[in-house]
Amino acid sequence: MTLNQVPMNQLITDNIDIWTSTVKTKATTGRGSSKKLELYGVKKLRELILELAVRGQLVPQDPNEEPASAMLARVAEEKAQLVKEKKLKKPKKLPNIDEIELPDYTLPLGWKWAFIPEVIAHDNYAIKRGPFGSALKKAFFVASGYKVYEQQHAINDDFLRGEYYVNEKKFEELKAFEVKPFDLIISCSGTVGKVAIAPVNMERGIINQALLKISLNTSALTNEYFKILFPAYYMKTETLSDLQGTAQKNMVSVETLKSEPFPYPPIEEQHRIVAKVDELMKLCDQLEQQTEASIEAHQVLVTTLLDTLTNSANAEELMQNWQMVSEHFDTLFTTEESIEQLKQTVLQLAVMGKLVPQDPNDEPAAKLLERIGEEKAQLIKEKKIKKQKALPPIADDEKLFELANGWCFARFDDICTGITSGSTPPKDKFIESEGVPYLKVYNIRNQEIDFNYKEQFVDSVHHKTKLTRSILYPGDVVMNIVGPPLGKVAIIPDSYPEWNCNQAIVVFRPIEPLLNKYIYTYLTAGLFLQSIELIGTAGQDNISVTKSRSIVLPMPPLEEQHRIVTKVKELMVVCEQLKARLKESQITQLQVTDAIVEQAV
């Protein structure tokens, strides 16, 4: 290590804020904490430590140590003697190192580019791929005997896992694939590149087709250094770098490892590298734990303070609690999760009557509900809609909170015409274009209709004659009733005059058309999901059409509904602006982190 190189401990401490604050949001959604965040800074720090380790930049070189070239020469002499004594087959000729394109960095003094066969003196079968030519079948397995080691053992570095065994006859047949204590096993297809060292107390057994084993059995290369070497160097070579995350089989081959040169340090330095990596990885563990604890604490604080808003007893208490939140706004809403929680709180306050003030001059909701009831009765009388089976009165346990002045409870069936779901027409009724747009659950994205995503059209004649029950019109509110997740909501846009949908979507068409935006707001808030009875199996819960009809709506006066919708829209714009600024900040942090790593190597 040269004098102008910054020691690794200093590099870590000088940039501690970068390592601990740089995070990436994962693709998952819903409630949670740090599990939705990738601790990108610590991840890059771990990668940097390994990268510097195999470049000879992690620990200083000692000019008094035997150079790697001398060790290789001694191994070559031992191997030649064994060949002469016919104890070892003559090894295959290795590639000419001068004809191989090596990485664009110079190895430190005492290091050398080497091939794995050069450091293994005694075993022609030191590198062995699992029996992929005759993959182990379930029919081979027995209750006890010789263990079959699988990918999970390499991935989790846990040799106690697994329950597959073969009998003695099958073991003898596949004995060339036996794994012994101190062997390295490598995951070599699917999740490529995970390495584990077989422990002394392991059960006797064989590897399966998804593993590759290396029996070093040499004083020239330590297992622990190779475990660092494989992810930090081999998995970044041109041959192997594209394999991570692929589902292809037979990717890491024996010949690949034999013919790929690697940076080989003196044996004493290998030990120092391993010790330093262990030390720094423990430090990374601590940083990770501290970061996760900080994220968790921040999330608890956000949840607690936002809950004070929804739990406020009256407008005065709400304003006091909001003052407390607003004073710390810049420190509270600094993650995508916290902003999503803010949005959810806004929606909850809106449908609880706490977002905008009530006006005693507004017509009470009960009057509006009475007028809608009269209009619905007239539509039934004129046979424009069918009379549905009456639903039971709203029970006290269905009323999620105390209503604001001028509000009343109503069931969706009280305010909508024929609430129903769609159906799936025969395949030959779907056409490429110029028909009626047909919606599936995946077309409801970000709480709006995204018809450009996998658009489908259904024949207009079939739509008019066979799918009349599920005709949709602009302004209708739709919601998916098959999960996960349940409760995706949208308002049908006016880009087409009529639409249709499948059975996983239910439509709400309010008798008073101006109710649609408040209905959308209420469904988006998702409070009804806390009390509605679901059907179906775990992991795919459903809401029946009858339960959709019976959803209880806390209904404000019509004028207040307009004020609520306007205020929600205004605050959602603010939340999206917060998220946009957050993403810009995260991108900058990621770029700074990457720049530090690039400069360090």
Side-chain angles (χ1 to χ4, degrees), residues 473-477 489-492 508-523 558 561-562 565:
Y473 300 100
D476 287 349
V477 181
V489 189
I491 294 177
I492 298 298
F508 302 104
R509 183 173 301 131
I511 294 171
E512 168 51 72
L514 294 177
L515 288 175
N516 70 334
K517 290 182 180 178
Y518 177 74
I519 288 174
Y520 167 85
T521 301
Y522 178 70
L523 292 174
L558 189 58
Q561 291 184 33
H562 298 328
V565 168

Side-chain angles (χ1 to χ4, degrees), residues 298 301-302 305 322-335 338-339 342 574 578 581-582 585:
H298 174 266
L301 178 62
V302 170
L305 290 179
W322 173 248
Q323 184 64 31
M324 183 168 54
V325 171
S326 62
E327 286 175 1
H328 304 284
F329 199 86
D330 291 340
T331 55
L332 285 174
F333 304 109
T334 56
T335 65
S338 61
I339 297 170
L342 176 61
V574 173
L578 281 173
R581 287 202 295 270
L582 174 64
S585 175

Side-chain angles (χ1 to χ4, degrees), residues 44 118 144 164 236 288 411:
K44 295 302 289 185
E118 288 186 277
S144 63
Y164 293 113
K236 293 185 178 181
E288 206 166 59
R411 293 197 188 277

Side-chain angles (χ1 to χ4, degrees), residues 152-203:
Q152 62 168 316
H153 297 102
I155 293 170
N156 298 296
D157 201 356
D158 182 354
F159 284 72
L160 297 178
R161 290 170 175 254
E163 54 187 17
Y164 293 113
Y165 293 85
V166 293
N167 60 27
E168 186 172 1
K169 181 180 178 183
K170 180 59 66 175
F171 173 75
E172 289 298 328
E173 181 184 327
L174 299 171
K175 198 169 182 180
F177 306 103
E178 182 179 5
V179 57
K180 298 178 180 179
F182 307 113
D183 281 355
L184 293 145
I185 61 169
I186 304 170
S187 172
C188 54
S189 68
T191 304
V192 180
K194 297 291 185 180
V195 184
I197 301 173
V200 175
N201 61 346
M202 64 174 290
E203 294 181 69

Side-chain angles (χ1 to χ4, degrees), residues 338-402:
S338 61
I339 297 170
E340 285 300 317
Q341 280 192 273
L342 176 61
K343 289 170 66 175
Q344 195 64 28
T345 301
V346 167
L347 290 169
Q348 288 188 30
L349 291 171
V351 300
M352 293 172 76
K354 297 180 179 181
L355 190 65
V356 299
Q358 281 74 49
D359 185 340
N361 296 316
D362 291 341
E363 179 190 59
K367 289 281 187 181
L368 172 63
L369 186 60
E370 183 180 332
R371 196 164 60 250
I372 289 172
E374 292 171 355
E375 187 173 342
K376 184 172 184 179
Q378 184 61 33
L379 291 171
I380 293 171
K381 184 177 180 180
E382 296 173 0
K383 297 185 178 181
K384 292 182 178 179
I385 60 173
K386 290 182 180 179
K387 183 177 182 179
Q388 299 287 337
K389 182 180 178 181
L391 293 172
I394 298 171
D396 288 342
D397 60 359
E398 293 181 278
K399 300 172 183 179
L400 297 179
F401 45 81
E402 188 175 338

Side-chain angles (χ1 to χ4, degrees), residues 68-80:
S69 57
M71 174 64 81
L72 292 176
R74 191 161 63 253
V75 173
E77 288 175 6
E78 292 176 14
K79 189 178 293 187

Side-chain angles (χ1 to χ4, degrees), residues 64-118:
N64 298 315
E65 291 174 353
E66 178 186 61
S69 57
M71 174 64 81
L72 292 176
R74 191 161 63 253
V75 173
E77 288 175 6
E78 292 176 14
K79 189 178 293 187
Q81 184 61 35
L82 290 170
V83 171
K84 186 177 180 180
E85 295 171 1
K86 296 185 179 181
K87 294 179 180 179
L88 185 71
K89 291 181 181 179
K90 186 177 181 179
K92 292 181 181 179
K93 187 178 180 181
L94 292 170
N96 186 344
I97 196 75
D98 295 329
E99 296 176 359
I100 295 176
E101 185 177 349
L102 297 170
D104 59 354
Y105 55 84
T106 304
L107 292 182
L109 187 68
W111 288 49
K112 196 175 187 303
W113 290 104
F115 297 93
I116 287 182
E118 288 186 277

